[in-house]
Amino acid sequence: MEEIKDGAIHQTAVKLAEEIKNLSIYKSFYTDIQKLVSSPNVNKEDLKQTLQQAMKEKGLDIKLKNTVFHWVRTQSKHNKSDPITLLTKAGAQWEKRIHKSLNSMCTDLETSLAKIRSQSELEELLEKWNELSTYNLGKIAKVAKNLTKYRPVYAPKDFLEVLLTLSGYVPYTKEDEPKWEFAHLPLQTKTLEQLRKIYTEWACGEPLLGVNPGMPSSMPGFVSLEAERIALGERVAALGYAPVTQEFLKKGSPQCLRAKLWTQVLGAETSSQHATYFNQLKKCVLEVDLMIDKLVFKDVQLTASNDDQYFVFEDLLYQVMLCFSRDSEVLDQLAGHIGAAVTVPVRGRHGDVTTFPPSGVIPFHGFTMYVCVSLATPFCYLYSDPVQLYCTFRAFYVRYWHHLHYISTHPQGIVSLCLLYERLLEANEPLLWIHFRNINVNPIRVVFKWLMRAFSGHLPPDQLLLLWDAILGYDRLEILPLLAVAILSFRKENIFQVNTPQNVDAVLADLSTIPVIPLLQLALMKS
């Protein structure tokens, strides 16, 4: 048995060593090790021990451990395969609809999916790069090709309509289950009791940031819980070890440390290589005009530009979103988890073709709000550098957000989250469930836009950041449907008073007074 175990460890180590060679960190890390080996700190007679000690002194041991941590998380994500292959077919058909809609829009507007920018357009765009909010408002308006005629390819409600037809792909129903919209899918979801075992700190009533700003500390020497968490968080940030940072985030992050802690747990720390890569993406934006650029401008204008919290960061949003659309590494990292991108000709360059879009991600209405959270005050001052903001957003998207708008049976995917929401609501708020059925309101329609956008654009920034702390800390998205049920429970007396979909939406339209952490803690502690 020990031989088998040792063999498995050896094979994993060999695989890990090969995988690290393909990571962006490898070149600089290898260079650092070479310098260290040739330094006086390393003794050739005792190479292993002195090298390990030297790595600790230079912080390279933490860098290596974090690399292994992020690699293991990636392996865990990719090893979860779809048990229902028919859902893959549904996803492929949905993606074909999206591309058909894009082609139809291009035909109507007499434009191309991809074309070379003229020299004058390139120069104008470069000149306006740091003030892109004016890009389609002045002389350059002709480039936008009358932006008012462009429309989002799809919105959350369109995606929900597709999900609600999945019964046509998976004809499965358990006789002893209520006829939930997603009950025909043979997916395993957590019960509330199982969620309590995952979110132990919350279910046990441990002190969390976000409950009471003046909550006293249980440790001597601190006037408040926040002061205690800042002191501990500074030590965690200085250590820089991602698993420890992840554990710390379970109880919430102080605002002053959040940017540093998020980048650590996501593995999104930047270097000169990241700045170079970002500039390469920028160059791609300047050279080739993608039809998707207009969708980015449209989405920013329809969402962030109209939000008092985010409109001042409009220029940063454009930079991040335009560069993200050109990032082919996103498509490579999510191969098999998002749809295959199409290849299209580049007009103006004979024989040239490009993947459309290179990232493989076509934004839906509200996609920009994923980025906006990283700009929430005072967080924005720490992420005012577009390179750091970009790397953090991309890491969040690759790890989490792609699950929310692609069809799969992944336990953190949107289909599983919808089913979890329905089962939690029926089991824990049966009267509310019955009320929805009596007034002919589908319960998932009430909250789907919250789930698909991870509550971005719905909750105030300070509450949303606390919610996303929990997503990072527990490395799970089940907190989203749990919060959706908690909000309905919080507003149920008002919901009982209305009997139309419009009035239900009105009751739930304003979430500005929702205390996220107390509601979630109450939901997990309630017997």
Side-chain angles (χ1 to χ4, degrees):
M1 183 63 71
E2 286 297 321
E3 291 180 0
I4 294 174
K5 182 179 178 180
D6 291 343
I9 293 173
H10 174 73
Q11 291 300 321
T12 301
V14 170
K15 181 181 180 183
L16 173 59
E18 291 301 315
E19 290 280 347
I20 288 178
K21 291 179 182 179
N22 298 322
L23 300 178
S24 59
I25 191 180
Y26 177 72
K27 186 176 180 180
S28 62
F29 186 78
Y30 185 67
T31 301
D32 290 339
I33 292 294
Q34 283 183 314
K35 291 178 181 178
L36 206 57
V37 170
S38 60
S39 71
N41 295 329
V42 176
N43 186 344
K44 293 181 181 178
E45 302 301 323
D46 189 10
L47 181 64
K48 180 178 178 181
Q49 186 171 344
T50 56
L51 178 58
Q52 288 178 339
Q53 182 60 35
M55 287 178 65
K56 285 184 180 180
E57 293 171 357
K58 293 290 185 180
L60 291 178
D61 64 324
I62 292 294
K63 192 173 183 179
L64 181 59
K65 288 177 180 178
N66 284 343
T67 299
V68 174
F69 170 74
H70 296 302
W71 178 81
V72 169
R73 292 188 350 146
T74 302
Q75 298 308 298
S76 175
K77 171 169 67 69
H78 282 289
N79 286 339
K80 293 183 182 298
S81 57
D82 261 344
I84 308 175
T85 55
L86 290 174
L87 284 189
T88 305
K89 180 180 177 182
Q93 292 193 357
W94 166 238
E95 286 149 21
K96 284 181 182 178
R97 278 180 55 185
I98 293 174
H99 286 289
K100 183 178 179 181
S101 178
L102 282 170
N103 282 311
S104 177
M105 202 185 311
C106 282
T107 301
D108 293 344
L109 297 171
E110 299 179 349
T111 188
S112 304
L113 288 175
K115 61 182 179 181
I116 297 298
R117 296 190 197 275
S118 68
Q119 188 61 30
S120 61
E121 288 175 346
L122 187 155
E123 291 173 357
E124 189 97 39
L125 183 56
L126 179 59
E127 180 185 343
K128 290 178 176 287
W129 183 253
N130 291 320
E131 49 182 24
L132 284 170
S133 54
T134 67
Y135 174 73
N136 64 322
L137 301 179
K139 293 182 298 182
I140 204 71
K142 63 179 185 292
V143 178
K145 190 75 175 180
N146 193 357
L147 198 61
T148 58
K149 293 184 179 179
Y150 287 86
R151 60 189 182 277
V153 181
Y154 70 101
K157 60 182 178 60
D158 303 311
F159 187 47
L160 177 59
E161 294 302 330
V162 174
L163 296 184
L164 292 177
T165 65
L166 290 179
S167 58
Y169 295 91
V170 187
Y172 179 95
T173 302
K174 290 184 178 179
E175 294 299 326
D176 59 342
E177 279 194 343
K179 299 300 184 287
W180 285 300
E181 292 292 349
F182 292 90
H184 53 274
L185 299 175
L187 301 177
Q188 295 295 320
T189 60
K190 301 285 191 300
T191 63
L192 185 58
E193 188 58 39
Q194 289 172 323
L195 290 176
R196 288 189 181 110
K197 293 178 181 178
I198 293 171
Y199 298 96
T200 307
E201 294 81 359
W202 297 38
C204 293
E206 294 187 21
L208 308 173
L209 285 181
V211 176
N212 180 355
M215 181 181 291
S217 170
S218 59
M219 295 181 62
F222 297 104
V223 296
S224 66
L225 174 65
E226 184 174 12
E228 173 195 326
R229 294 290 292 169
I230 290 174
L232 179 58
E234 288 173 344
R235 292 172 58 189
V236 168
L239 178 62
Y241 187 30
V244 175
T245 305
Q246 182 179 17
E247 191 68 24
F248 177 82
L249 287 174
K250 290 180 178 180
K251 295 185 181 182
S253 170
Q255 289 185 343
C256 59
L257 295 173
R258 186 173 278 119
K260 179 68 174 176
L261 299 176
W262 278 21
T263 54
Q264 284 181 359
V265 80
L266 286 167
E269 296 93 341
T270 59
S271 64
S272 58
Q273 289 179 317
H274 294 94
T276 300
Y277 185 65
F278 186 78
N279 285 327
Q280 290 173 349
L281 297 176
K282 174 183 173 181
K283 185 172 181 287
C284 294
V285 174
L286 296 173
E287 291 179 349
V288 179
D289 178 11
L290 297 182
M291 188 266 198
I292 207 169
D293 296 347
K294 319 307 187 301
L295 301 182
V296 168
F297 274 85
K298 188 77 171 182
D299 193 51
V300 173
Q301 290 183 3
L302 291 175
T303 54
S305 298
N306 295 322
D307 193 309
D308 292 340
Q309 300 277 356
Y310 305 118
F311 78 94
V312 293
F313 308 115
E314 199 174 336
D315 296 324
L316 269 176
L317 289 173
Y318 286 126
Q319 291 179 19
V320 169
M321 292 294 291
L322 290 173
C323 287
F324 181 76
S325 68
R326 268 67 173 188
D327 196 340
S328 59
E329 286 188 5
V330 173
L331 183 59
D332 293 340
Q333 291 183 48
L334 294 177
H337 294 268
I338 65 175
V342 298
T343 301
V344 301
V346 180
R347 197 173 81 183
R349 187 183 287 168
H350 181 68
D352 194 9
V353 297
T354 184
T355 302
F356 183 85
S359 68
V361 182
I362 296 172
F364 57 86
H365 176 53
F367 187 90
T368 302
M369 299 308 290
Y370 286 150
V371 190
C372 282
V373 180
S374 300
L375 293 167
T377 306
F379 203 23
C380 58
Y381 302 114
L382 298 173
Y383 277 172
S384 57
D385 172 18
V387 178
Q388 182 61 78
L389 173 61
Y390 180 79
C391 291
T392 303
F393 162 66
R394 188 179 79 160
F396 244 124
Y397 184 84
V398 170
R399 183 66 188 170
Y400 302 108
W401 303 150
H402 74 277
H403 287 305
L404 301 179
H405 59 104
Y406 284 96
I407 299 174
S408 75
T409 55
H410 192 286
Q412 305 297 313
I414 190 64
V415 179
S416 294
L417 297 182
C418 287
L419 180 56
L420 175 60
Y421 158 77
E422 289 181 337
R423 286 178 169 163
L424 287 175
L425 183 65
E426 197 276 342
N428 299 284
E429 289 292 348
L431 295 181
L432 195 53
W433 175 268
I434 292 169
H435 177 67
F436 279 133
R437 289 309 202 188
N438 287 342
I439 64 174
N440 199 29
V441 170
N442 185 338
I444 192 61
R445 293 185 187 276
V446 176
V447 304
F448 185 75
K449 58 184 179 294
W450 300 345
L451 301 181
M452 187 173 167
R453 285 167 49 170
F455 285 90
S456 60
H458 297 286
L459 287 170
D462 62 327
Q463 297 298 308
L464 195 57
L465 293 171
L466 290 166
L467 176 65
W468 286 17
D469 282 345
I471 289 173
L472 284 169
Y474 290 95
D475 194 32
R476 313 179 73 89
L477 292 172
E478 286 113 334
I479 200 83
L480 300 176
L482 180 62
L483 178 58
V485 173
I487 291 173
L488 295 188
S489 179
F490 186 61
R491 295 268 175 92
K492 65 182 176 182
E493 295 305 322
N494 291 329
I495 296 174
F496 285 144
Q497 304 304 313
V498 298
N499 56 15
T500 67
Q502 295 77 12
N503 288 339
V504 172
D505 287 340
V507 169
L508 300 170
D510 183 8
L511 301 185
S512 61
T513 60
I514 291 296
V516 167
I517 305 304
L519 278 188
L520 284 168
Q521 199 164 27
L522 183 63
L524 287 164
M525 292 174 66
K526 187 168 60 176
S527 60

